[in-house]
Amino acid sequence: MNAALIPQPTREELPECHANGSQPQGYDREDPVCWNCRDKFTCLPSALDKALVVGALQDDSEIHAVLSEDMSFRAAIERMGHRLRVTQAGGEVPPELDVRTPVVETGVRSVATTPEPEPEPEPEPEPPAPEPEPEPEPVAVAPTPVAPPAKRKPAKRPSRALVNEKGEPTLKSGKPLPPVRQLSKKQMKAAIGRIKVNQPFPLELGMQFVRKTKDGDNIIVRLVPTGFELDGVIYSSLSTAVMYRLRKVTSGNAYFNLVTNQCTEIWSEDGDVLAGYIG
């Protein structure tokens, strides 16, 4: 395995949930946010070394292919971008882009998993153009004064807009956020099963995850039948909801963890505190 093939993020650049981050959670094989995180190539190996997660590099075919030198880092990033564009358009990820599908071995020189097209033949050289006939000398005419163009004021961009040139919401780093979409009842049941915040009881619809902030505000994510509701918007995962609020890569499991965060609670649907910090 050659870790030198991938850029090594600095400590300041690491997401909190990275295996080497401030709130290490490690790669979650079931979380779509992890699938499209460019730092996953260092996160999963470190998480396995530190026993933060149970599994293998093969849990993500792109990570395994890059570290095995069967795919270039650039090709993996292109696959991630393609997968993200498909989901942002509301489509389903095709099997060949699923991280659980083995990647075709292409070698590190390749930038995609499909063969390069044959180069087109060189065009026949065009005959030289005939020499143009000399034009008569122009008669000097006094130029008409033209008013200088008015200076345009730069468009103001709301400080909290955080969108790219396509109007898509982004993280503070400029990377696009996962698409906002809702889940089916079956998908939501599976998503609730992936939540691991050291809760002392099974989670149910209607329960609320609460994180108190320094400015006295509460970040509240409620479990509803079609997803995770935050500020009136329903997201497809706990992590995605938190990322839209904080505008940085964050694991929902780490953010609302009852063991590592003293300011986190779980409320009932009526607002009663069911669980809090477990020190």
Side-chain angles (χ1 to χ4, degrees):
M1 301 290 178
N2 190 353
L5 293 172
I6 59 177
Q8 299 297 311
T10 64
R11 182 75 178 180
E12 294 74 19
E13 295 174 331
L14 286 177
E16 293 178 352
C17 54
H18 191 283
N20 299 324
S22 58
Q23 297 183 14
Q25 185 76 19
Y27 179 91
D28 185 346
R29 75 181 80 182
E30 302 296 337
D31 194 338
V33 174
C34 292
W35 301 346
N36 296 321
C37 177
R38 67 182 295 123
D39 296 315
K40 68 180 183 177
F41 301 93
T42 55
C43 182
L44 179 56
S46 295
L48 292 172
D49 290 341
K50 296 180 178 181
L52 291 174
V53 298
V54 177
L57 292 176
Q58 288 83 349
D59 290 343
D60 187 307
S61 60
E62 292 163 351
I63 297 175
H64 183 256
V66 169
L67 295 180
S68 300
E69 302 185 37
D70 293 328
M71 177 190 290
S72 69
F73 178 74
R74 176 184 169 190
I77 295 299
E78 288 180 355
R79 282 171 53 94
M80 292 162 60
H82 187 184
R83 183 166 57 242
L84 188 60
R85 288 191 294 272
V86 170
T87 55
Q88 285 178 333
E92 294 292 332
V93 176
E96 64 271 17
L97 289 179
D98 194 306
V99 298
R100 291 158 293 193
T101 302
V103 174
V104 177
E105 296 185 3
T106 59
V108 296
R109 295 183 180 180
S110 174
V111 298
T113 56
T114 54
E116 294 290 336
E118 291 293 330
E120 297 183 0
E122 293 291 333
E124 293 292 332
E126 297 183 0
E131 292 290 335
E133 295 185 3
E135 296 182 359
E137 292 291 332
V139 179
V141 179
T144 303
V146 179
K151 293 183 178 180
R152 292 186 178 181
K153 294 182 179 180
K156 292 184 178 180
R157 180 179 176 182
S159 58
R160 299 184 65 185
L162 292 177
V163 296
N164 58 21
E165 63 277 2
K166 299 179 182 179
E168 301 166 336
T170 68
L171 302 169
K172 292 178 182 178
S173 64
K175 298 177 184 178
L177 279 159
V180 176
R181 60 185 180 87
Q182 299 186 25
L183 304 175
S184 66
K185 292 182 179 180
K186 182 178 179 181
Q187 290 172 327
M188 184 55 183
K189 182 178 179 181
I192 291 177
R194 293 194 293 269
I195 298 176
K196 302 171 185 176
V197 297
N198 288 294
Q199 68 274 14
F201 44 72
L203 297 172
E204 299 178 359
L205 294 177
M207 289 184 178
Q208 305 174 80
F209 294 94
V210 182
R211 173 81 178 251
K212 300 176 182 178
T213 62
K214 294 180 180 179
D215 57 9
D217 187 18
N218 287 343
I219 297 179
I220 303 176
V221 179
R222 186 163 64 97
L223 302 179
V224 298
T226 56
F228 300 80
E229 183 179 13
L230 172 62
D231 298 331
V233 180
I234 299 177
Y235 301 92
S236 58
S237 74
L238 187 62
S239 296
T240 300
V242 176
M243 287 166 60
Y244 267 83
R245 168 61 79 92
L246 304 182
R247 292 306 173 100
K248 63 181 180 179
V249 176
T250 307
S251 164
N253 283 336
Y255 189 73
F256 288 106
N257 197 287
L258 299 176
V259 170
T260 58
N261 301 306
Q262 299 184 26
C263 52
T264 302
E265 296 176 339
I266 297 180
W267 293 358
S268 70
E269 188 171 6
D270 298 326
D272 298 324
V273 178
L274 302 177
Y277 172 65
I278 305 172

